[in-house]
């Protein structure tokens, strides 16, 4: 069953039109015709079975028939990701969507040297991943901001799990302030469920001033991800996995 | 510091030669010369600082000077991975190496239709990942075998964590026999640390007979990886991460 994310409200019998790209995909690529069914979701009204109508070369209509799943919300988890090269960054967006993060915020740091960011392309990747993995909403991809400004404005009520792999190596051994993730996250009691962020540093690690700044932020909990050096994309997937298994919806 | 995996024994002052490809990399690509230093490991003798000598266009020698790290062993974890498309399979090998699996075994299943496997290329990817992530050994990549034969020969003393994402969806909801990974793995007492495997199914999931077979295998513990459908490569990384954090060396 093809599954599409749409912007329009979804309710029984209320006809809507897919956008041009979606219509092309349904009609020209997947060769669907009058009466064929697809699944639709918009992040608000649950998932609906819908039927194609008025099929022409240029478009079609979609009529929601019945709701197949109720709307749910993902855990309130922001993945805060330092910019890395295009291909691993795109993979992080895809995987983070599958793993169920609520929002993907991009940051630049002292050791970031990437200015390639195409936020609308990343948002399209998140949308496609949400369609394929059965999610009920698409995580927003937020344009890059500077790490120092992000930390300055970080709310005390949102915990921030910081994973600084390359930084650990640069300091010749794991940072003394960093803990194994399982006991560290388990030790937080239920009161600290709720809003969270996971911050993944750039390939070159955080610089010393950034590390000090992060460690002095009351919301921050520093964790290590094992004795080997993970690439930034591996670290992002591993950290979100642990958070989901311990504090999220797994 | 460039880090290379070599076959030769490593001990102080005992001159060895890198292979042709490594020599080309050191001399022509990285432009190293007489007296420059690299790090070497062979999976047996720890990590050594070594010095280049006799540099010509065609090769060089390497002389280990001092041991910089003692040899360690990774946890005894086999990743048993159903064949998937080439690009995600290569990514799994790279990430599994970074995450510290002991061995990567490939399997074919009823719903596998991939016969592209180039084991020596996958082994080269594992070697490069081991060099980059600071591992002290390279995990072996084992050529594909059939799942039914693998299960038949599976030793009772090696627990097997089975993750069957697509299967869960195909059966319209998580499998009743599968558990959340964190409590399931935590419930196993220390006696069940030791030898383990993690089995990741193909994109199409296991077929019903395979599922029954796996569930009846005493070594097997079935776990789910959350309410969304993960691609096989995401599932592999997530499962190994959880195993490492709960039972492994993180």
């Amino acid at each position: 069953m093809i599954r599409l994310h749409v912007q329009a409200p979804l309710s029984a019998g209320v006809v809507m039109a897919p956008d041009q790209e979606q219509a092309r995909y349904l009609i020209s690529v997947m060769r669907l015709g009058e009466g064929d069914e697809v699944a639709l979701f918009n992040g608000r009204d649950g998932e609906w079975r819908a039927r194609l109508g008025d099929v022409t070369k240029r478009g079609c209509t979609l009529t929601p028939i019945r709701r197949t799943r109720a709307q749910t919300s993902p855990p309130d988890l922001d993945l805060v990701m330092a910019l890395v090269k295009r291909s691993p960054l795109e993979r992080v967006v895809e995987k983070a969507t599958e793993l169920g993060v609520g929002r993907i915020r991009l940051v630049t740091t002292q050791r970031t040297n990437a200015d390639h960011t195409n936020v609308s392309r990343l948002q399209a990747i998140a949308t496609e991943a949400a369609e394929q993995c059965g999610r009920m909403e698409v995580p927003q991809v937020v344009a890059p901001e500077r790490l120092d400004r992000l930390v300055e404005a970080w709310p005390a009520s949102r915990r921030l799990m910081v994973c600084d792999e390359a930084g650990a190596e640069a300091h010749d051994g794991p940072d003394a302030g960093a803990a194994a993730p399982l006991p560290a996250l388990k030790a937080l009691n239920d009161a600290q469920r709720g809003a969270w962020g996971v911050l993944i540093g750039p390939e070159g690690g955080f610089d010393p001033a950034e590390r000090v700044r992060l460690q002095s932020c009351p919301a921050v909990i520093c964790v290590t991800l094992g004795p080997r050096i993970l690439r930034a994309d591996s670290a992002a997937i591993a950290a979100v996995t642990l958070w989901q298994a311990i504090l999220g919806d797994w």
Side-chain angles (χ1 to χ4, degrees), chain A residues 55-68:
Chain A
V55 176
T56 68
K57 275 188 188 167
R58 302 174 55 84
C60 64
T61 59
L62 290 168
T63 307
I65 301 165
R66 67 174 192 286
R67 199 165 76 156
T68 47

Side-chain angles (χ1 to χ4, degrees), chain A residues 122-187:
Chain A
L122 295 175
Q123 188 64 66
I125 288 169
T127 302
E128 195 183 323
E131 290 171 344
Q132 294 197 7
C133 76
R135 266 183 81 138
M136 300 299 285
E137 69 297 303
V138 177
Q140 184 195 357
V141 179
V142 183
E145 54 199 313
R146 280 174 42 180
L147 179 66
D148 54 356
R149 293 190 185 148
L150 176 125
V151 172
E152 196 173 295
W154 192 266
S157 59
R158 182 181 285 274
R159 299 298 305 242
L160 182 61
M161 170 176 164
V162 175
C163 310
D164 183 14
E165 289 303 298
E169 185 196 38
H171 287 67
D172 204 13
D175 170 30
L182 194 64
L185 296 181
K186 291 281 283 181

